[in-house]
Amino acid sequence: MKSSDYLISTVKEAPNDAKIISHQLMIRAGLISKLASGLYSYLPIGLKVIQKVEKIIREEMNKSSALEVLMPVAQPAELWQESKRWEEYGPELLRFKDRHDRDFCLGPTHEEVITNIAKQYIRSYKQLPINFYQIQTKFRDEIRPRFGVMRSREFIMKDAYSFHMNEESLGETYKVMHQTYCNIFDRVGLDYRAVLADSGAIGGDSSHEFHVIAESGEDTICFSDSSDYAANLERAETFSQGEPNSPEEDLKEVETLGVKTIDDVCNLLKVDPQKSIKTLVVIGSDGSLVALVLRGDHELNEVKASKLKGIKQPLQMADEEEVVKKLGCNFGSIGVVNLDIPIFVDYAAACLSDFVCGANENDKHFIGVNWQRDTKQINPSDLRNVVAGDPSPDGQGNIEIKRGIEVGHIFQLGTKYSDSMNANVIGEDGRAVNMNMGCYGIGVNRIIAASIEQNHDEKGIIFPRAIAPFDLVIVPINYHKSSRVRGLADQLYLDCKEKNIDVLLDDRKERPGIMFADSELLGIPHRLVISDTHADNGKIEYKSRSHADKAEIDFKNSVSFILSKLV
Ligand code: ATP
Ligand code: MG
């Protein structure tokens, strides 16, 4: 490609709303252009990067024997009503009516449509297992689109859906997809981790997220410092840390006038928050109140809490007015002494002794509280987020916490959709069986943003070769004045093209400084500079985007030199 026939759309300044480096650099390098909140156009160079990522995904998915399909973005409400998600999905699902007043939505995901296809075309166990995928536009009306294409409203996803006779077959394909995802992210050149994720009703190890490790990540990833254990924050488990010590203090009520937060209470009473508890009140499955108790310095894990027996799903915090009416005090004063509602106590809180809690009376707390002696029966449970330093659930080492960007998610769905949408096949014994299903997603645009988060410097993007918009840029000095430079540059350009090197010849009438800056901003991995001075000596200047040093190489060897860098 010659720059004069192309659009080099670099801009000087990133907009104010670009808070993270990948967003700033994608705008500055002219990969994307904002249309409206969460909606971006891909300019020629950005699209080229997208296509390189898609090619890798396609090749690896095809290798895994998945079959490519393409489903519509617009989907009829009836399918979503069948799966019950028309009501359940919430405002991320963009709904609209057609001219005949029929309800539709823009697909945020395609389980319903693919299940409908499977229902029509898969009749016998002999056709199973089968795995369909597409690379296609999704729309999610995200509450807070941000970070450019990292969390946009319209984005490209590779989504795949597999169908199986039984859980065993699902487990096998799940393993293949896990490996396929590793192959894809390895080829793209990402530093990533596969982590255990919450797997909803199916449980076990049936869901993994793939996270790119980056400071700007919105997710929290928990690792063991001494083993392979890795899980996201929702999923990472905690365990009982032993029995409480025997009581040493007497139960005593103290005044805590006007003090509301746990930190303020602990400051006033000069107690470490680790020796206090906080009591949250949620709604039980029958509508009554249920208490969830955590150590003062810990945070509730809502995913874990919503799975407790007898708790309403999704988790719903009690209304403060109702709490005042039924328990006799405001939120900040609830405690476990004489508390007459079911109580679930986090393992870490359950091993405290002589601790502080609210007295179920405003402006009063208890000190010297002890389980059993002062409280009714408690249900020790895993209720909290892990914190750095917690023992790893696999018994090896301690937990470390880092930020991650979720680029992929694989999930064993079981028969959730085939049950609700009646997607069955005839088994070997002639009986109809609802198919087991797996689903596997990759955020194509997010991969690019995540890669830039990991690969950049003060000059711009440093694309890994596999997804760089070009392999090589040729920068001729005085292309428009020196016929010798022009002749050499044009010949080199043709020679590179002949060898299938994805090359950009910067033949713009720009100052060298601008051409150098653009090639660095764009992150093109290799650069050759041709000038009259170099030509006098039969040389050309080479620079790699990822190294500071420049080298002079023989002009006549330059194509083979670049080819050797591209293997
Ligand atoms: P998140 O927790 O980040 O919202 P999700 O759990 O909703 O992600 P999935 O439904 O599993 O995501 O979608 C599969 C993949 O699609 C994600 O792993 C992510 O890479 C990508 N993705 C999801 N939402 C967006 C978005 N708003 N913008 C860009 N990519 C997205
Ligand atoms: Mg989401």
Side-chain angles (χ1 to χ4, degrees):
M1 196 62 69
K2 288 188 175 181
S3 297
S4 56
D5 300 332
Y6 205 60
L7 177 71
I8 305 290
S9 40
T10 52
V11 292
K12 276 230 146 49
E13 301 288 330
N16 283 341
D17 71 334
K19 300 277 182 263
I20 60 171
I21 192 73
S22 58
H23 186 187
Q24 293 165 3
L25 289 176
M26 285 181 84
I27 297 271
R28 284 188 47 217
L31 268 48
I32 54 169
S33 162
K34 182 172 171 178
L35 175 65
S37 170
L39 301 178
Y40 290 87
S41 303
Y42 278 79
L43 300 173
I45 295 186
L47 184 62
K48 216 156 172 261
V49 179
I50 288 262
Q51 286 166 340
K52 291 204 173 179
V53 174
E54 288 182 352
K55 183 166 180 283
I56 294 173
I57 294 176
R58 208 169 252 122
E59 283 172 5
E60 293 300 325
M61 290 302 292
N62 291 347
K63 245 188 246 168
S64 80
S65 302
L67 303 173
E68 187 165 2
V69 293
L70 186 59
M71 295 178 263
V73 177
Q75 306 181 9
E78 287 77 20
L79 281 184
W80 287 72
Q81 281 153 355
E82 256 185 76
S83 72
K84 312 267 185 306
R85 287 211 289 184
W86 188 254
E87 294 77 34
E88 286 166 11
Y89 210 93
E92 263 186 35
L93 185 67
L94 188 69
R95 297 150 217 253
F96 64 96
K97 284 186 191 292
D98 72 0
R99 63 169 69 192
H100 306 295
D101 213 30
R102 292 190 194 112
D103 285 314
F104 280 82
C105 64
L106 290 184
T109 175
H110 278 71
E111 281 83 1
E112 283 78 1
V113 181
I114 197 73
T115 305
N116 189 251
I117 290 175
K119 195 168 140 174
Q120 291 174 61
Y121 296 97
I122 300 174
R123 307 299 318 150
S124 156
Y125 72 95
K126 291 180 199 151
Q127 295 166 281
L128 296 179
I130 195 161
N131 191 7
F132 298 106
Y133 80 97
Q134 65 174 348
I135 299 179
Q136 188 252 19
T137 297
K138 300 279 180 268
F139 193 95
R140 294 182 182 180
D141 205 355
E142 296 275 355
I143 184 165
R144 226 159 49 88
R146 59 192 174 280
F147 306 149
V149 300
M150 194 87 92
R151 183 167 299 285
S152 49
R153 294 197 292 169
E154 187 173 305
F155 59 98
I156 303 170
M157 196 197 287
K158 186 290 297 167
D159 44 332
Y161 308 89
S162 64
F163 292 86
H164 309 268
M165 265 312 278
N166 50 42
E167 282 172 27
E168 196 190 345
S169 162
L170 169 57
E172 281 164 16
T173 298
Y174 186 81
K175 264 198 214 134
V176 171
M177 291 311 292
H178 192 294
Q179 186 55 49
T180 300
Y181 273 40
C182 292
N183 298 345
I184 291 169
F185 298 131
D186 284 340
R187 279 185 64 186
V188 168
L190 291 169
D191 175 15
Y192 68 94
R193 283 291 291 260
V195 310
L196 280 169
D198 175 51
S199 44
I202 297 215
D205 292 351
S206 54
S207 174
H208 287 83
E209 290 169 353
F210 291 78
H211 283 268
V212 165
I213 310 303
E215 278 294 314
S216 57
E218 292 185 277
D219 292 299
T220 305
I221 309 305
C222 314
F223 306 86
S224 162
D225 59 10
S226 337
S227 75
D228 281 344
Y229 180 84
N232 69 15
L233 190 66
E234 286 87 55
R235 169 65 197 260
E237 294 160 310
T238 68
F239 293 95
S240 170
Q241 292 165 9
E243 294 295 311
N245 292 334
S246 320
E248 288 185 0
E249 297 173 18
D250 292 332
L251 182 68
K252 193 171 152 210
E253 196 177 70
V254 292
E255 292 267 352
T256 47
L257 199 62
V259 177
K260 294 220 161 53
T261 68
I262 195 86
D263 285 340
D264 292 344
V265 169
C266 291
N267 270 339
L268 178 77
L269 301 176
K270 300 199 170 32
V271 179
D272 187 332
Q274 296 191 5
K275 287 287 273 181
S276 74
I277 59 158
K278 53 188 174 195
T279 308
L280 309 171
V281 184
V282 299
I283 307 295
S285 36
D286 60 357
S288 60
L289 300 181
V290 177
L292 305 180
V293 179
L294 298 162
R295 212 170 75 182
D297 58 326
H298 284 153
E299 274 175 28
L300 180 69
N301 182 310
E302 295 195 8
V303 173
K304 292 176 181 177
S306 67
K307 287 187 183 159
L308 294 170
K309 238 177 135 185
I311 302 282
K312 186 171 170 192
Q313 271 186 321
L315 194 70
Q316 188 186 335
M317 292 293 164
D319 183 62
E320 189 155 17
E321 252 174 55
E322 195 187 349
V323 165
V324 172
K325 209 160 80 196
K326 298 218 169 113
L327 304 181
C329 67
N330 287 93
F331 279 155
S333 302
I334 308 166
V336 289
V337 181
N338 301 323
L339 184 64
D340 203 16
I341 57 176
I343 308 177
F344 289 93
V345 179
D346 180 67
Y347 290 128
C351 64
L352 292 180
S353 55
D354 302 322
F355 57 88
V356 172
C357 73
N360 295 324
E361 194 183 331
N362 283 347
D363 302 327
K364 297 242 160 59
H365 276 73
F366 280 120
I367 58 173
V369 187
N370 284 275
W371 301 114
Q372 285 188 344
R373 187 191 71 183
D374 307 323
T375 67
K376 62 180 251 183
Q377 195 206 340
I378 60 173
N379 301 290
S381 311
D382 179 13
L383 283 184
R384 68 175 171 98
N385 289 335
V386 296
V387 292
D390 273 338
S392 175
D394 65 355
Q396 297 179 54
N398 295 316
I399 291 293
E400 263 181 38
I401 293 188
K402 284 192 184 164
R403 309 296 296 166
I405 300 168
E406 184 196 315
V407 287
H409 191 181
I410 58 176
F411 202 96
Q412 297 187 31
L413 289 165
T415 54
K416 178 175 155 65
Y417 293 92
S418 47
D419 286 346
S420 59
M421 297 180 66
N422 216 2
N424 56 38
V425 287
I426 305 300
E428 217 165 340
D429 57 3
R431 274 194 300 198
V433 183
N434 285 351
M435 289 179 275
N436 266 274
M437 247 177 103
C439 69
Y440 318 92
I442 288 184
V444 175
N445 331 56
R446 199 182 273 185
I447 282 185
I448 298 167
S451 172
I452 296 173
E453 287 296 317
Q454 285 189 333
N455 302 290
H456 65 267
D457 63 12
E458 67 293 345
K459 292 180 176 152
I461 304 168
I462 309 177
F463 271 120
R465 191 233 159 168
I467 63 167
F470 295 96
D471 293 330
L472 167 71
V473 56
I474 300 171
V475 182
I477 312 289
N478 284 337
Y479 183 84
H480 296 274
K481 287 188 192 142
S482 161
S483 59
R484 178 165 63 156
V485 165
R486 187 187 188 110
L488 289 172
D490 286 349
Q491 190 54 51
L492 180 60
Y493 171 69
L494 291 177
D495 292 347
C496 287
K497 281 189 38 151
E498 199 182 286
K499 295 285 182 198
N500 282 328
I501 298 173
D502 193 355
V503 56
L504 178 72
L505 170 61
D506 201 344
D507 61 348
R508 292 176 296 169
K509 256 189 188 160
E510 290 286 1
R511 284 185 291 114
I514 293 194
M515 295 195 279
F516 293 152
D518 279 352
S519 73
E520 282 167 332
L521 181 56
L522 279 168
I524 301 172
H526 305 285
R527 184 176 83 192
L528 289 173
V529 181
I530 304 181
S531 69
D532 274 314
T533 328
H534 293 126
D536 285 342
N537 304 320
K539 298 281 184 189
I540 189 166
E541 182 194 280
Y542 167 77
K543 186 181 174 302
S544 153
R545 178 66 183 89
S546 50
H547 295 102
D549 303 338
K550 295 171 190 159
E552 286 212 336
I553 55 170
D554 288 337
F555 182 85
K556 59 179 187 318
N557 295 337
S558 45
V559 177
S560 53
F561 177 82
I562 294 296
L563 282 174
S564 74
K565 296 275 176 194
L566 295 179
V567 284

